[in-house]
Structures are given as C-alpha cells and as structure tokens.
Amino acid sequence: MTRAVIIGSGAGAAPLAWTLSKAGLKVLVLEKGPRYERADYVRDEVAMSYRNFFTPSLDEDPHIVVADDDPPHRTDLGWIACCVGGGTVHMGGYLYRLHPEDFRLGTKFPGHRDLVDWPFTYEELEPYYTRAEQAVGVAGAAEAHPFEGPRSAPYPLPPLERHPLAPHLEHVLRDAGMHPFPTPRSINSRPYRGRPSCAYCESCAGYGCRVGAKGSVQETLLAQAERTGRCTILPRSMVKEILTDGRNRATGCVYLDAVGREHETPADVVCLCASAIESARLLLLSKSSRFPDGLANSNGWVGRGLTFHATSSGRGRFRRDRHPDLPLDVRHPFLDVSSMDHYFLPEGVAELPKGGLIRFGVPQPAPVSTALGLSWDEEKSKSIWGKELQRRLRDSFVDYCTVDFEVFHDSLAHEDTFVELDPDVQDTWGLPVARIHLNPTEHQRVAGRWLVKQGLEALERLGADELDSTGEGQSAKYLVEGTCRAGEDPRTSVLDRFCRTHEVPNLYVVDGSFFPTSGGAPPTLTILANAFRVGEHLVARDRDGAFDSI
Amino acid sequence: MKLSDSQRQVLRATVERILPSGPYPGARDARVAAYVESELRQLHWRSARHRVLQGLDLLDALARNSHDIGFAAADPETQDAVLRQLQDIPHKTSRRFFRTLVVLSLEGFLGDPSRGGNQDMLGWRFLGYEPGAPPPGGCLREPEEPS
C-alpha cells in the first residue's frame, strides 16, 4: 500500500487526505498544532483573539517581518492557523471562485513583467471547484450574478438568511447599475451531510463553530478521511525536515512530538501543505549537500513570488434615530451582499486595470477589540481613558448601526517581497523562523483607494450619516500565496502544473504556495479545489506505479 | 507576581480612573480590578509584570512629589492629573505600562464573564450588547439537526 505523508491539515491538506485515503493509499497527516473539539470553540473573544488559541505565541514560533523602514520585528503576519483544520476552522467562510481571467493575466496584460499565466485554466479547475463547494457545503446563489465563470452545478445549499438591510442595499446597488449577489459562505443554511444548520450566533469569523455548521475541513474532509480507516492524523507533530535520498527522491520526514522527541517516518510520496510561508520555510530548512539552498530550490525561486492578498475596507455609520425607513435595530450576523462589478477597473484609474470583489457586511460584535481600537489615539500615540473613553464606547455601540465592506483584490508579486530563513531568530525548537520581506506595490493602494470610494458611495446612497475608509490596499495577514510558484518553465518556477516540485519527483506542495498570481477573489476555495485536482492526479500516478519503492 | 498591599491599592485606583463609575458604570461596578490582578498572574503576561510593578511605584512617587499624597489616597481629580502626567513622560516603559493597564481594564470590562470580569454582564449592558439575543423571526434557533 502506497504511503503518503501530508504535512499540515488545512485547506490544501484535507482534500488530499480525503482523495488519497478513499483511493486506498495509507495517509499520515502531521499537524504542528493541537486538535480541538467543538466544545473548545467557546465564545470568549479574548481567548480566541488575544491568547494564541489559533496562532502560536510570538515568543515561541514567530514570523519576522521587514517592512518600510522599520527594523525586523516579530509578527503573526502570515500565520493562518496552527491546529487541525488550519484556517478553515476560524474562517468567515467567504468561498468565492476566481474569475477565468485570473488564470491568464500574463496573456491579458503582456506589458507587465510580474504577471504570468497559471499553468492550468479555470475550465480545467472547474469540476474541482464544484467538488470543493459540495465537500464543505457552500451556501450561495449563482444564478443571481453574471460575472462568474461557467458552472457545472449550482451551489449545494441555498443562501443563508440575511439581515433585513440586505434588500435595501441590493436595491441601491442595482439602481447604480450593479449586480449584487449573495456572498457564498461555507456555512450550512440547512442540515447538510450529517451536520446541523447554522444557529446564527454572531461568533462566526475568528471563532470555531460550536455546533459544526461551518464547513471547516476538520468537520468534513478530515473526518471522512479518518473513517476510511486509512488516514491517521497526528496533532502536535512538528515536521522539521523532509528527507531525500541520492536519487533526489523524498523518503520521509523528521518530526518532533509534543514532548520534543524526534521521530522519523517513511513516505512513498510527501505532500507539503503547511501554508505559503511555512511550506517555503520547511523547504529552505531541508538543506542537504544536493540541495544546499534548500530542497527543490536550485533555481532560487522558493520564497519568491510571495503575495499577501490585498484588502481594502470602509464603513458607513447610521444614527439609529434618523432612519425610520431602515431596519437598523435588528441584530443579525449576515448581511452577505457581494459585487464583482468592479473586478476590472475602468481606464485611467490604475496602470493595471485589475480591480476587486466587494463584500458588504455587518460587523460582528467584538466589544473588546472595538473598545481597544477606540481607546487608542493614533495621531498622538496615546491611550484615551476615563469618561471620554466611556462616552466614545457608548456612542459607537449604542447610537450607531454600522454597515461595512471589505474588498479583496490583487497583490502583485515583486522581487522585494519574499520569504527567507531568518539569520537571527529561532523558534522554540531551535530552528530558524521565516523572515518576510514585505513591499507591496503601489497598484494595490491605488486600486484600493478607488474601490473603497465605490463602496462608500454605495453606503452614502443607502443613507449613511458618516463614512470612513478603514484601509486601502492593506496586506491580509492570513491570505497568503505564491512562495512556491507553479509554472511550465522549471527555471522560473518551483512546481509543475500538478504542484509537483520540478526537482523531487515525489514531493508536492499543495496549499496557497503554488499561486502564480494572487487573483482578485480570496484564495481559500481555489486552494481546496486545486488540492482535489492534484489529489486525483496523484491517485492516477500511483496506479501507474510512480510511487512504488524500488 | 506578588503585589504589596500598597501596590494593589494603586492598581485598583488606576483601573477605577480608566473606567470611572458615574455617570456611566465603571470598573468598580464590574469587578475589573480583581480581573486585572488575577490576569497578571497568568503566563501570558509574565513579561509585562516587571513594568507593571515599576509603573505602579512610579504613579505613587509622582503623586507624592507633585501633590504630597500617595496615589491611592488622593482624590479622583488628583489621580487623573497624575495619570496625565504619566502619559506625558516620553519613556517607552511608562507608556507601555499605562497601555497594558488600559488593555487589561477593557478586557475586564467587556470580556466574556466566564473570564472573571464584566460582572453581571455590566460592561456589555452598558453598550447595549446582549450576546445570544434572538435574531429576527423568533428565538435564537437551536441548530436544526440532520434527520
């Protein structure tokens, strides 16, 4: 029986674990973080957001960031989640497909040197988009919106119930010639495949789901993989090195268990799915005499091509006493109105006419986070306290209702944005941590500014009393792509079109690392879909004997 | 972290000025000082303890130097004046000390009551926030179980 070792247990790992174990391979999943149960996903904002529940502590396992003129410092930038299920446990579950044009920006914009085509098309990925939507259970309504690529099947679940403000906002958007559609969410709008429907509890994004209604890979694919009897998941197992032999074949991994004991485990095929920063880091750590610059890195491309997805944001605040026509007093977690109308920019806005996807929402109540923000005067670099703080808190919560929006858009790869091993800082296991050099291009700020303007105009038409831009072209800390680029040319890529490393024939990197360009829509559904595609390919190669030990 | 009685009193007084009682509910009503003290004993705050102790002693020294009275014994207006004086000191450690106490006070006022503060959900009720309030159309639904 072919033995596959999968490193990581998130959106890239889980479809592989599911596909391979169902096809009869023996699968071992090594996850650095803990394994939580539903009962662990409590509603405690401080515990979830400020006590390293999902991401490691900066003392033990940091990333280092070098950005602007600041000295290198510890950060959780690029840490998605360190637990079984990865980021899909705490995600808001905004599972959009990329647009067909996202796969061919090199052809569409030949003048731009950092834009390249993906080594496969939307059409090739499409059946796996459908499979991924069905696997985790995405609630949406595709008929409503003309900007998507073709679909082979509708969404498996109808849209979630929405805040009564949603039709008001959609009306305003349609009047302006736009085509709003319900935000596709990986949350059960009905009981689905043995899991209950959503309880509409308001502790969603940033929290694990206590009732199992959010389509994390833990609840879905990993649980099913384990039920085959051929998949073992080992939490608190930190892989420190991938081993290769004299024929440049991966032979297994070395990992540390929860008490720091070292283990070596053999593998016929190794799939590295630790997320863009950590996968690149592990390749760089796995040096040998044959790979002095890191495993599969003879061309120096591991760590390059890094993108942090661009996000921009804004909000409109409505005084509760001024809008008798609007249902502002209703408490409901989901507004879920999206628009892809500005996925491409009109001429003259930016050098590259690539825009983004706007997602309108109502902010989730986060009293501590909101209060911490209100208690800080950025200009004076001082805390606000006392009666003034209390007044601000009360004004913000009681007197206003807020509608906000987030725009997901492209971040362009650039030679000044990359990840390498840090020369100074080590993690708690004594291994060099990842050092991120972050220098986003001007495009995302220019595009972000324009996109925010569109969102604010919509909220102004809805009647907002106050409008604020809250971010223009920022770097989303846990939407990361690109560090092991996939491409046809082994001189300028790390992986081939099936995410196999060019240099090690039984080593695959299957998470967000492969993205040759970031795309506009957020990456999670594409990571899931691609992993299903690669999994199917691996099964075919296995049947051909590609992973037989000789 | 071992607080002397006098440091404990300075801590309590500071927290009660960060979130004063009247006209709004404040730290005293919601048991925030007890949360802050207990939270500082947790591992997460171990690197903050030293600057907290230093900061509490500094507040007391400032009060005695400028107003001839210990911080805890001073009236609220004097305490506020001393805190503003502290904020004006251009020194990283004293600034971080004050920020740490503001952060802890807000956690204690608005965090989940299961953590020990936000007594009787007083902080939440001040903001008009009721977690688990029913969405429109009926009660907070029980998740529909698959049949």
Side-chain angles (χ1 to χ4, degrees):
Chain A
M1 205 189 287
T2 304
R3 184 183 163 84
V5 170
I6 297 177
I7 302 167
S9 63
L16 289 180
W18 183 88
T19 305
L20 299 181
S21 58
K22 283 217 174 267
L25 284 79
K26 199 158 147 68
V27 176
L28 174 65
V29 176
L30 296 171
E31 165 56 51
K32 177 194 277 202
R35 181 176 194 146
Y36 293 121
E37 303 297 333
R38 281 184 194 175
D40 295 320
Y41 300 137
V42 293
R43 183 198 58 201
D44 179 336
E45 184 194 352
V46 172
M48 292 301 115
S49 305
Y50 299 109
R51 295 294 189 271
N52 303 119
F53 184 87
F54 287 117
T55 52
S57 106
L58 295 186
D59 293 329
E60 291 190 354
D61 203 357
H63 292 156
I64 302 295
V65 64
V66 179
D68 307 314
D69 299 313
D70 298 330
H73 59 274
R74 291 174 185 241
T75 180
D76 60 357
L77 177 73
W79 263 120
I80 302 176
C82 201
C83 60
V84 171
T88 69
V89 175
H90 65 64
M91 63 180 177
Y94 309 115
L95 258 58
Y96 304 89
R97 298 184 178 198
L98 288 180
H99 191 283
E101 298 286 86
D102 282 313
F103 293 75
R104 34 189 304 275
L105 291 184
T107 299
K108 197 169 160 71
F109 302 110
H112 286 265
R113 61 175 192 151
D114 291 308
L115 292 179
V116 293
D117 287 354
W118 288 37
F120 52 91
T121 62
Y122 172 92
E123 286 71 25
E124 288 174 271
L125 191 62
E126 197 287 326
Y128 306 99
Y129 268 136
T130 296
R131 188 174 300 178
E133 287 166 353
Q134 290 175 354
V136 302
V138 179
E143 319 81 65
H145 125 80
F147 289 98
E148 267 193 343
R151 301 181 64 92
S152 52
Y155 284 105
L157 291 163
L160 293 159
E161 289 179 33
R162 302 192 292 177
H163 195 296
L165 270 175
H168 292 265
L169 177 58
E170 288 188 323
H171 181 75
V172 152
L173 293 170
R174 286 200 187 100
D175 267 0
M178 290 166 70
H179 306 80
F181 58 95
T183 303
R185 306 291 300 270
S186 52
I187 295 173
N188 292 351
S189 52
R190 294 191 183 141
Y192 186 74
R193 295 191 178 180
R195 294 178 297 113
S197 69
C198 180
Y200 294 82
C201 76
E202 295 188 308
S203 309
C204 191
Y207 295 80
C209 182
R210 264 188 321 287
V211 304
K214 182 148 66 179
S216 75
V217 299
Q218 179 185 24
E219 287 279 357
T220 55
L221 296 163
L222 293 178
Q224 290 159 32
E226 283 183 309
R227 284 201 285 273
T228 64
R230 287 183 288 273
C231 177
T232 303
I233 299 173
L234 284 189
R236 300 203 185 273
S237 300
M238 150 78 177
V239 175
K240 56 180 282 208
E241 193 183 349
I242 298 169
L243 301 170
T244 51
D245 65 15
R247 295 173 303 136
N248 285 358
R249 286 186 73 84
T251 55
C253 306
V254 179
Y255 70 92
L256 300 166
D257 66 17
V259 296
R261 278 182 310 224
E262 206 167 276
H263 303 260
E264 205 177 295
T265 189
D268 300 310
V269 56
V270 176
C271 300
L272 177 50
C273 311
S275 81
I277 301 294
E278 289 291 309
S279 286
R281 180 189 171 218
L282 184 55
L283 291 179
L284 295 172
L285 286 173
S286 300
K287 292 188 190 2
S288 64
S289 53
R290 281 163 285 104
F291 295 105
D293 295 318
L295 191 52
N297 190 32
S298 301
N299 64 12
W301 268 89
V302 171
R304 291 172 60 179
L306 167 63
T307 56
F308 285 88
H309 219 85
T311 57
S312 300
S313 54
R315 66 175 182 201
R317 294 195 294 161
F318 298 73
R319 282 201 62 98
R320 291 185 193 281
D321 51 0
R322 281 195 201 150
H323 302 271
D325 51 315
L326 292 178
L328 297 178
D329 286 333
V330 170
R331 293 265 307 282
H332 195 296
F334 305 132
L335 185 68
D336 280 359
V337 173
S338 284
S339 156
M340 254 172 123
D341 293 88
H342 302 306
Y343 210 69
F344 296 93
L345 299 172
E347 257 199 60
V349 171
E351 199 202 321
L352 174 69
K354 194 74 171 50
L357 191 160
I358 305 183
R359 177 188 72 73
F360 292 90
V362 284
Q364 207 167 253
V368 174
S369 306
T370 307
L372 289 177
L374 290 169
S375 73
W376 184 250
D377 185 334
E378 188 64 50
E379 261 186 62
K380 297 190 187 139
S381 258
K382 271 185 175 179
S383 288
I384 297 165
W385 52 279
K387 278 211 272 278
E388 201 205 323
L389 172 60
Q390 289 167 315
R391 203 186 27 82
R392 281 186 150 210
L393 292 175
R394 195 171 174 82
D395 275 354
S396 172
F397 277 85
V398 174
D399 298 336
Y400 288 93
C401 165
T402 301
V403 176
D404 65 14
F405 63 86
E406 178 177 33
V407 189
F408 301 102
H409 53 114
D410 293 69
S411 183
L412 304 184
H414 190 269
E415 61 195 356
D416 295 334
T417 297
F418 61 95
V419 62
E420 60 174 351
L421 293 180
D422 196 270
D424 305 313
V425 179
Q426 296 174 348
D427 64 14
T428 195
W429 296 273
L431 299 166
V433 303
R435 175 179 280 217
I436 298 165
H437 294 260
L438 180 65
N439 290 290
T441 69
E442 191 58 18
H443 170 79
Q444 67 191 61
R445 275 185 279 271
V446 170
R449 202 168 307 133
W450 188 87
L451 291 161
V452 166
K453 192 157 160 289
Q454 311 314 305
L456 292 178
E457 275 176 16
L459 294 179
E460 188 173 32
R461 286 195 298 271
L462 186 60
D465 299 296
E466 286 168 39
L467 299 165
D468 298 290
S469 164
T470 51
E472 291 168 6
Q474 295 180 318
S475 297
K477 69 177 175 176
Y478 33 67
L479 301 175
V480 202
E481 308 105 356
T483 55
C484 301
R485 167 179 289 203
E488 308 283 13
D489 185 347
R491 292 169 302 176
T492 55
S493 57
V494 178
L495 308 175
D496 72 10
R497 63 193 305 280
F498 286 106
C499 293
R500 183 179 78 162
T501 63
H502 290 301
E503 297 191 88
V504 181
N506 61 340
L507 173 62
Y508 291 74
V509 184
V510 194
D511 48 25
S513 309
F514 80 87
F515 281 47
T517 51
S518 74
T524 308
L525 184 66
T526 303
I527 293 172
L528 286 164
N530 177 68
F532 276 112
R533 187 184 71 99
V534 171
E536 194 175 88
H537 172 77
L538 286 176
V539 168
R541 294 211 69 228
D542 181 57
R543 294 215 170 104
D544 292 340
F547 307 125
D548 290 350
S549 21
I550 294 168
Chain B
M1 182 189 74
K2 220 42 186 98
L3 280 178
S4 69
D5 281 341
S6 114
Q7 285 169 331
R8 178 174 293 114
Q9 282 171 28
V10 173
L11 177 64
R12 179 168 299 266
T14 306
V15 165
E16 288 180 12
R17 291 324 300 157
I18 290 172
L19 291 167
S21 299
Y24 305 118
R28 190 185 316 146
D29 314 294
R31 265 191 98 245
V32 176
Y35 170 88
V36 174
E37 202 185 317
S38 147
E39 193 58 31
L40 281 167
R41 289 196 285 271
Q42 306 303 314
L43 208 57
H44 179 83
W45 297 100
R46 66 186 177 287
S47 54
R49 285 176 200 151
H50 181 69
R51 69 170 173 269
V52 169
L53 291 176
Q54 274 194 322
L56 295 173
D57 290 343
L58 176 58
L59 279 177
D60 209 34
L62 283 173
R64 286 178 204 283
N65 282 351
S66 306
H67 303 274
D68 289 324
I69 188 169
F71 185 85
D75 61 40
E77 287 75 33
T78 306
Q79 290 172 334
D80 285 353
V82 173
L83 289 174
R84 282 192 291 273
Q85 214 184 328
L86 175 86
Q87 277 197 295
D88 283 337
I89 299 173
H91 196 277
K92 207 168 72 155
T93 309
S94 53
R95 292 190 143 201
R96 287 181 72 192
F97 154 71
F98 191 63
R99 185 65 193 158
T100 299
L101 287 199
V102 170
V103 169
L104 280 164
S105 299
L106 289 172
E107 283 190 5
F109 191 56
L110 296 172
D112 196 282
S114 64
R115 304 185 63 76
N118 193 5
Q119 167 123 312
D120 297 329
M121 298 197 287
L122 211 83
W124 285 349
R125 289 192 278 136
F126 165 56
L127 300 181
Y129 171 58
E130 287 169 60
C139 17
L140 179 66
R141 62 201 69 194
E142 281 305 306
E144 248 179 272
E145 286 297 334
S147 44

